[in-house]
Amino acid sequence: MKFIKLGLVAAALMTVSGVSLAQQKDIKIVDPRESPYVISPNGVVVMNPFGLCWRTGFWTLERAATTKIEGAPFPNWTVGCVCDRALMKPPVCEPPPPPPPPPAPPPPPPPQPSARAPTSEKVTFAADALFDFDKATLRPEGRAKLDDLVSKLAGVSLEVIIAVGYTDRIGSDAYNLKLSQRRAQAVKDYLVSKGIEPNRVYTEGKGEANPVKQCADPSAKGEVRNQKQLIDCLQPNRRVEVEVVGTRPVRK
């Protein structure tokens, strides 16, 4: 009878738990003191052939839910999750929630306005304001007009200057083409003498092309009655167009 009583005491101290994970092997408790489950001499939680744990006299639900084990799959996983999972309350045996997604990257800053604004300006000079009639040598008044143009280029990051010369329709096509080219070259030479880089200035002569005013011959009926009046009427066609392309600082 004494043996039976001892057996009953042992049974009371080592009750088989109701639910456990039979697949779990070699469960070691981090701090085996007052373990809620029987531990073998090598520190492993004892399980029966069915994978069920044996409770000790120290077993309480709270102790089972708080006793840590080595190599837990989740930080909050305890020995109770192995031996008495059905009794554990969330979130003891549940994996931690996934980390929140990283915050969306901030939108890129709006592009800063350029400190320089593109500029393209075209100035048309009457040829008679730059040259004597039928000549390609700059007059003093013509040099003054080009000086004014150069002064306006101060602060401009220059890309290119294009000088295009034109004539009226009086005279042969070949003569007028050469005259327009010589006048455009005269403009370039003067701009270069004022400090403009030669490779920034391009010239072109178009002769009597692209007239801006049409005038009838003196023999036709109209306001033009003689050669002098025809020359005066065609004056707008005798011109030099100067186009400046570059960037200018933005004014705040």
Side-chain angles (χ1 to χ4, degrees), residues 109-123:
Q112 296 296 321
S114 173
R116 308 187 72 87
T119 180
S120 177
E121 301 176 9
K122 180 182 288 188
V123 182

Side-chain angles (χ1 to χ4, degrees), residues 19 67 69 82 87 95 104 106 126 131 134 136 144 156 162 167 191 228 248:
V19 181
T67 301
I69 60 176
V82 178
L87 302 179
F131 310 97
D134 199 25
V156 174
I162 304 172
T167 68
L191 294 177
K228 182 179 182 306
R248 187 185 300 276

Side-chain angles (χ1 to χ4, degrees), residues 123 125 129-131 137-152 187 190-191 193-194:
V123 182
F125 298 99
L130 302 180
F131 310 97
T137 302
L138 281 169
R139 299 169 56 192
E141 296 88 339
R143 291 194 292 270
K145 289 184 178 297
L146 293 179
D147 287 341
D148 181 63
L149 174 64
V150 172
S151 67
K152 292 179 180 178
V187 171
Y190 188 78
L191 294 177
S193 72
K194 292 298 180 178

Side-chain angles (χ1 to χ4, degrees), residues 1 12 21-22 25 49 54 56 74 81 88 107 142 149 151 155 160 167 178 182 186 198 210 220 223 230 233:
M1 296 297 295
L21 300 179
K25 302 296 182 181
W54 294 90
T56 69
F74 309 117
C81 298
M88 297 297 106
L149 174 64
S151 67
V160 65
T167 68
K178 291 181 179 180
R182 288 189 289 121
N210 305 328
E223 296 181 1
L230 177 62
C233 180

Side-chain angles (χ1 to χ4, degrees), residues 87-251:
L87 302 179
M88 297 297 106
K89 297 180 180 180
V92 174
C93 302
E94 297 176 355
Q112 296 296 321
S114 173
R116 308 187 72 87
T119 180
S120 177
E121 301 176 9
K122 180 182 288 188
V123 182
T124 299
F125 298 99
D128 293 353
L130 302 180
F131 310 97
D132 290 327
F133 180 73
D134 199 25
K135 301 295 182 181
T137 302
L138 281 169
R139 299 169 56 192
E141 296 88 339
R143 291 194 292 270
K145 289 184 178 297
L146 293 179
D147 287 341
D148 181 63
L149 174 64
V150 172
S151 67
K152 292 179 180 178
L153 296 180
V156 174
S157 180
L158 186 63
E159 293 183 14
V160 65
I161 295 178
I162 304 172
V164 182
Y166 294 92
T167 68
D168 58 29
R169 59 181 171 83
I170 300 174
S172 69
D173 293 346
Y175 179 84
N176 287 335
L177 180 61
K178 291 181 179 180
L179 178 61
S180 65
Q181 292 171 340
R182 288 189 289 121
R183 286 181 167 178
Q185 184 64 40
V187 171
K188 174 180 179 177
D189 292 343
Y190 188 78
L191 294 177
V192 170
S193 72
K194 292 298 180 178
I196 305 297
E197 298 178 21
N199 61 343
R200 298 290 183 183
V201 187
Y202 293 83
T203 63
E204 184 178 3
K206 292 191 175 182
E208 58 192 71
N210 305 328
V212 295
K213 186 174 182 180
Q214 300 289 347
C215 300
D217 291 332
S219 59
K221 294 182 178 180
E223 296 181 1
V224 178
R225 292 185 293 274
N226 53 50
Q227 189 70 8
K228 182 179 182 306
Q229 288 181 342
L230 177 62
I231 293 174
D232 293 341
C233 180
L234 293 174
Q235 190 279 326
N237 297 333
R238 299 187 296 271
R239 65 197 189 278
V240 176
E241 294 179 351
V242 179
E243 183 174 4
V244 178
V245 179
T247 55
R248 187 185 300 276
V250 176
R251 295 181 181 179

